[in-house]
Amino acid sequence: MSWELVEVRELKEGRYMNIDDEPCQISSISTSKPGKHGEAKARIEAIGIFDGGKRSVVYPMKHKVQVPIIDKRQAQVITSMGNEVQLMDLETYETFNIPIPEEYKDKLTPGKEIQYMVAMGRKKITRA
């Protein structure tokens, strides 16, 4: 299990949550007042970490949602092969391949240290 349950009232902008089993970063949260027969609701706008898709959901404030456990790690570039780069984790010495995001195409050279994140069993380069 790479996520935990959290009430909607505890979420903040810039943090993460799962929407449709996709880890997303929250870009805005707006709340409504409680109505005559119901409780307050929150409208959450978020952007997918891996696919970049915009998503929005509406939940009651006491509703529990999944929050992915994000692990940020350091790695060293071993080699670049077309649209993929081979990295070695600097803590566990594990080697793996990751697709190169567009913004880092020319910045990844062998021997360079980068930062990547692991969420829900998927990996993404976050800083080069």
Side-chain angles (χ1 to χ4, degrees):
M1 181 168 89
S2 58
W3 50 267
E4 58 189 6
L5 285 176
V6 174
E7 281 190 5
V8 171
R9 72 177 74 239
E10 299 173 28
L11 297 175
K12 295 182 176 148
E13 290 182 17
R15 301 264 174 99
Y16 301 94
M17 72 177 286
N18 284 344
I19 300 175
D20 300 328
D21 290 329
E22 178 71 28
C24 299
Q25 186 170 19
I26 298 170
S27 56
S28 71
I29 299 176
S30 59
T31 58
S32 64
K33 293 181 181 178
K36 185 175 179 182
H37 300 290
E39 62 180 290
K41 295 195 172 36
R43 179 179 175 84
I44 302 168
E45 304 279 335
I47 298 171
I49 296 173
F50 297 105
D51 64 1
K54 292 184 179 180
R55 294 170 171 80
S56 71
V57 290
V58 177
Y59 290 125
M61 294 297 278
K62 292 182 181 177
H63 186 76
K64 292 190 184 250
V65 294
Q66 293 178 357
V67 174
I69 297 171
I70 306 286
D71 190 13
K72 294 185 179 177
R73 302 175 151 260
Q74 299 286 327
Q76 183 177 16
V77 176
I78 296 175
T79 185
S80 180
M81 307 161 289
N83 291 337
E84 283 194 343
V85 64
Q86 186 176 26
L87 301 174
M88 179 181 67
D89 188 293
L90 293 177
E91 202 172 300
T92 63
Y93 303 110
E94 169 195 10
T95 60
F96 51 90
N97 293 343
I98 291 184
I100 303 172
E102 284 297 320
E103 63 263 26
Y104 301 120
K105 286 276 189 208
D106 301 327
K107 297 180 182 177
L108 300 178
T109 57
K112 183 170 183 164
E113 291 186 12
I114 58 107
Q115 185 180 43
Y116 72 99
M117 76 167 45
V118 180
M120 304 282 291
R122 293 160 56 188
K123 299 173 183 168
K124 178 184 178 183
I125 296 173
T126 55
R127 187 181 304 149

